[in-house]
Amino acid sequence: MTPNASSRITALLLALALTNCAQNPVTGQQNLVLMSESQEITTGRREDPKVRQEYGVYENAPLQQYVNEIGQRLARASHRPNLEYQFLVVDSPDVNAFALPGGYIYITRGILAYLNSEAELAAVLGHELGHVTARHSVQQISAATAASVGAAILQIFVPETRGIVGDNLINVLGGALLAGYGREHELEADRLGAEYLARTGYDPQAMVKVVGVLKNQELFDAEVAKAEGRQPRRYHGLFATHPDSDTRLQQVVGEAARFKQATTRTGQEEFLRRADRMIFGDSPSQGVVRNNHLYHAELGLAMRFPAGWRVQNRPQNVQAVSPNAEALIDLRIAGPAKGTPSEVLRKFVRLPFGSEVTSTTVGGLPAAVANTSIGGKPTRVVSVFLGKFAYLIGAQARSQPAFSQHQAEINASLMSFHAITAEERALARPLRMRVISADAGLTFAELARRSPLGKFAEGHLRVINGLYPRGEPVAGQPVKIVE
Ligand SMILES: [Zn+2]
């Protein structure tokens, strides 16, 4: 959650109503696409500030410059060298990379943590570049829009609370740009990315390598998700087969061998030097979640979510979902702390006529609470003032029995909102990645014992070092740790 996030990725979808035929710059064939090139550029330029606001730009100038330089080099060697490209690291712990139409390419700092060389970074950028040069996003968004409409989520607040509307559209965009484009387009992006790698002096096999790294990340996340009773995360471009036995991937990447330069660059040292000291996981400006506690030093607040719920810390809100997805708790900023908490609550929650709003205190702070039903779903909303902001915390369940079942933990969570203490402020410190040199006999089990990554630290450290599931450090080898 960031103090000034109010993003709307709205107009993009409207722009897609227009249909025309355009030549595919890669194949030279006529494709049915939804935009002309100038529409693509206009759309990218217009939506880019919204992506920047939604995710935040990772403030690390040398790293940004490094990523952009590699991206620009790939772009010059691509099938659309004349587009104006932007390669940006966004401040998200998620493992992702995506592109807007028109040459706007984004990579999360979360995915960077899993990469171990410049060639692997170039492979991720090259894959996204392949989606742009083959114009996949403009072909695919409409299909994804249709697919995600059914993914109805619970709604507590009226749209002006800078949340739900934006969230839905992000979800729609997510369908096309974040989740992926389908097997054929992903293979085409891998093929093109491998070609751009080869043309810029990397080994195109880095594409297979990075797909393997991300596949292992997915397998590891599936293992953790199972233990935590949540849905695993997926990175687009990943399919059921592991890249080692994926013959079609091997084949499309193999085709790039003919563009391979005499000498190739891996750039491990250079990449690790840039990745050293990078923030790992939540950043302090967005608030840090540890063991389902939210500590937000910048906003000066702390709150506890029910144990076992999946907590997602997003720019617009923090949302916790129960293991069976029957109930959620949503914390967000309503606006400045003006008037009374009751007034704020009535303004932002579409309460049925005659609903009662009770003034109270939460964590010693002025607050108001309402128990109601919104869209036929039992809902409890608290409005609370802290510092210069009014906050809304809503809890909703899909049914009355579900609400009753979770009522005790919901109430405890809503009432746990309070001004951050000095001890909690210390917990809000972000984790950072460090690169060390392995001593002889160093094991991941030993590193895990002194790691803040929790009970899955051993596997997690292996994944970020490209040594999942059973590898160990070799003496003298650079090893990424988190501290
Ligand atoms: Zn992709």
Side-chain angles (χ1 to χ4, degrees), residues 70-357:
I70 293 163
Q72 296 299 343
R73 227 166 42 228
L74 292 160
R76 297 287 85 84
S78 81
H79 293 86
R80 296 177 84 184
N82 298 324
L83 276 181
E84 231 177 86
Y85 289 91
Q86 166 195 283
F87 296 84
L88 192 72
V89 183
V90 292
D91 193 10
S92 163
D94 294 346
V95 177
N96 222 331
F98 53 97
L100 280 176
Y104 293 81
I105 292 172
Y106 309 87
I107 181 166
T108 60
R109 69 174 161 72
I111 204 172
L112 290 177
Y114 291 85
L115 307 181
N116 281 288
S117 72
E118 187 177 297
E120 291 176 21
L121 167 61
V124 173
L125 298 176
H127 173 96
E128 294 308 319
L129 189 57
H131 283 309
V132 173
T133 60
R135 313 190 77 191
H136 289 156
S137 65
V138 288
Q139 292 179 51
Q140 278 296 323
I141 288 175
S142 60
T145 306
S148 61
V149 166
I153 60 165
L154 298 168
Q155 292 216 3
I156 301 172
F157 304 115
V158 298
E160 293 82 75
T161 328
R162 57 159 70 133
I164 297 300
V165 166
D167 290 349
N168 280 335
L169 287 158
I170 290 289
N171 287 344
V172 168
L173 259 187
L177 303 180
L178 309 183
Y181 305 82
R183 177 66 165 155
E184 288 312 309
H185 282 175
E186 294 301 344
L187 272 176
E188 189 175 30
D190 287 334
R191 181 176 66 77
L192 292 167
E195 179 179 333
Y196 306 152
L197 283 176
R199 288 183 184 278
T200 49
Y202 300 103
D203 185 341
Q205 287 300 322
M207 185 62 77
V208 179
K209 180 86 189 292
V210 87
V211 173
V213 167
L214 296 172
K215 187 74 203 177
N216 284 339
Q217 190 277 330
E218 187 185 272
L219 292 173
F220 170 70
D221 189 63
E223 191 186 307
V224 176
K226 199 173 160 198
E228 292 178 348
R230 63 166 167 84
Q231 285 294 311
R233 291 182 276 271
R234 292 201 64 195
Y235 173 73
H236 74 90
L238 295 185
F239 293 86
T241 324
H242 200 277
D244 294 343
S245 51
D246 186 338
T247 48
R248 290 204 61 203
L249 176 70
Q250 308 275 356
Q251 186 200 329
V252 298
V253 170
E255 285 170 21
R258 63 197 153 112
F259 304 109
K260 196 174 161 183
Q261 317 279 298
T263 57
T264 56
R265 169 181 169 79
T266 306
Q268 187 196 37
E269 214 172 290
E270 179 75 7
F271 177 83
L272 292 178
R273 196 162 60 76
R274 308 281 181 172
D276 193 26
R277 299 209 59 81
M278 198 172 67
I279 289 179
F280 185 89
D282 291 330
S283 78
S285 63
Q286 296 158 343
V288 171
V289 177
R290 298 250 191 284
N291 297 324
N292 278 21
H293 285 69
L294 169 71
Y295 306 110
H296 207 308
E298 200 168 307
L299 292 171
L301 67 85
M303 180 175 166
R304 176 169 49 79
F305 294 96
W309 288 33
R310 184 178 181 205
V311 182
Q312 274 187 294
N313 185 9
R314 305 186 293 193
Q316 298 177 328
N317 61 353
V318 182
Q319 225 170 47
V321 180
S322 68
N324 49 14
E326 278 190 336
L328 72 72
I329 295 172
D330 176 307
L331 164 70
R332 64 183 61 208
I333 297 170
K338 286 211 183 94
T340 66
S342 298
E343 284 163 6
V344 168
L345 199 155
R346 285 194 183 280
K347 184 173 170 205
F348 287 109
V349 184
R350 208 177 273 124
L351 293 175
F353 183 75
S355 295
E356 204 172 309
V357 177

